[in-house]
Amino acid sequence: MRDDSRRALAALAVVGLWSLGCGAPANGAPDGGDPSPGVDSGTADAGTPDAGFAPAPHEAFPALEAHAGVVLASPHLLGITFTGDARRQSLDDFGLFLVKSSWLTAVGRDYGVTWGAFTAKHLAETAPATITDAQIVSLINARITDGTLPAPPATNNQYVYMVYFPSTTTVNGGSGLGKLCGPTGALGYHAEGTHGSKSFAYAVIPDCTTKLGDVTSTASHELIEAATDPYNAPRDGYFYDPLAESHWTGAYADEVADLCQYADDVFDGPWQVQRSWSTSEAAAGRTPCVPVPAGEVFTEVSPSPNTVVTVAPGGSATFTLTGWSTAPTAPWTIAAYDADFTDFSATAALSADTIGNGGTVTLTLTAPTTARSGQYGSVFVYSGQWSFWPVTIRVQ
């Protein structure tokens, strides 16, 4: 999923199988960064450390687990547009490109996702003024029934029904997402639907801005998440399950693109696309969000203690943050903001607002006196423009 709520350093999001995200740069502008001539393969960090340089010791990133391991290995993208959508041809061109792109092989390689197929599907009707998630599923089912859309096959179903809505349509998402495109609303999502007894993956892509790049970024986000985690349990795919004592318990971003939606977008040829999480790059201690723009140095912090600390209502806990980077770089800015969907808003106090590789800063989190037993309070500590690490306390 892609979410449009903003913070000073990055955009925030809400996740689940419903998946949302934004990919906006640190200044909140929606165009996602400077174009580059192409995308890096993502197999190695773009910054080559100087002789003698080493990233400071740090905690490992959480691992994305396969769960049932169901993925769409060769996703067949059905690009569904309405009559009168001025972007129809551009979206058709983008879909045809996306399924054979270097971007898809870069973001899919760790999860068994490779090149797929694309079919443009043009609906005869104009887009409605408003629509709900339940109505979108009903629309897909109706167009399957009348033959406009292909039915999901009983075996080896690779379809992703991606429905594009023009800016004149207000989309009200399901599962508590509310109105899309608003100040705190999603920019898009994917989910599971059913046609008779057959399940299918679908994605909803509204047109929230005047920029085509924002639409293609959201579409790329939802495609890789629909491919790597297409269905609900027990047939779900890749995401992470943080343990109760892990700081990542307070982080809602659990699917591959959600974890990277704060990173500036990249360009594959003329098309703006979003970066996505690589388990192999993260495990190797390199930039976890691929493709990696040439010359990018990844910066992050690592908390100690690396576990949830229990406090009394109104109590505090202090953590030592150690900065680390993948290559030599100047000290970078850090800031702490509430994680979305945290149980309570913890007061966060940093001893400094910059950090460097091997440097330390303390972070003190204080629970409100009204916090109840068992509740969690999480903040995201942002490093530089887009990377983050959650830090969490729990009330005893």
Side-chain angles (χ1 to χ4, degrees), residues 9 27 127 134 138-139 153 158 166 182 209 221 235 275 289 318 331 353 371:
L9 292 185
N27 62 9
S138 294
L139 173 67
Q158 298 293 304
T209 74
H221 177 121
R235 296 170 299 117
R275 295 162 69 176
C289 295
T318 298
D353 60 5

Side-chain angles (χ1 to χ4, degrees), residues 20 76-77 198 339 388:
L20 64 108
H76 189 150
L77 180 61
K198 301 173 185 177
F388 75 93

Side-chain angles (χ1 to χ4, degrees), residues 68 81 228 324 367:
T81 54
T228 55
W324 63 278

Side-chain angles (χ1 to χ4, degrees), residues 5-99:
S5 54
R6 297 286 192 255
R7 295 296 184 268
L9 292 185
L12 297 185
V14 185
V15 304
L17 175 67
W18 296 92
S19 162
L20 64 108
C22 169
N27 62 9
D31 67 352
D34 295 329
S36 60
V39 295
D40 189 278
S41 67
T43 57
D45 194 3
T48 301
D50 292 346
F53 173 84
H58 55 273
E59 299 293 340
F61 284 108
L64 273 64
E65 299 177 2
H67 296 84
V70 175
V71 300
L72 307 184
S74 300
H76 189 150
L77 180 61
L78 302 172
I80 304 168
T81 54
F82 292 86
T83 292
D85 189 337
R87 298 201 194 277
R88 172 177 276 180
Q89 186 59 57
S90 294
L91 295 174
D92 289 350
D93 293 343
F94 172 69
L96 187 62
F97 154 82
L98 192 64
V99 296

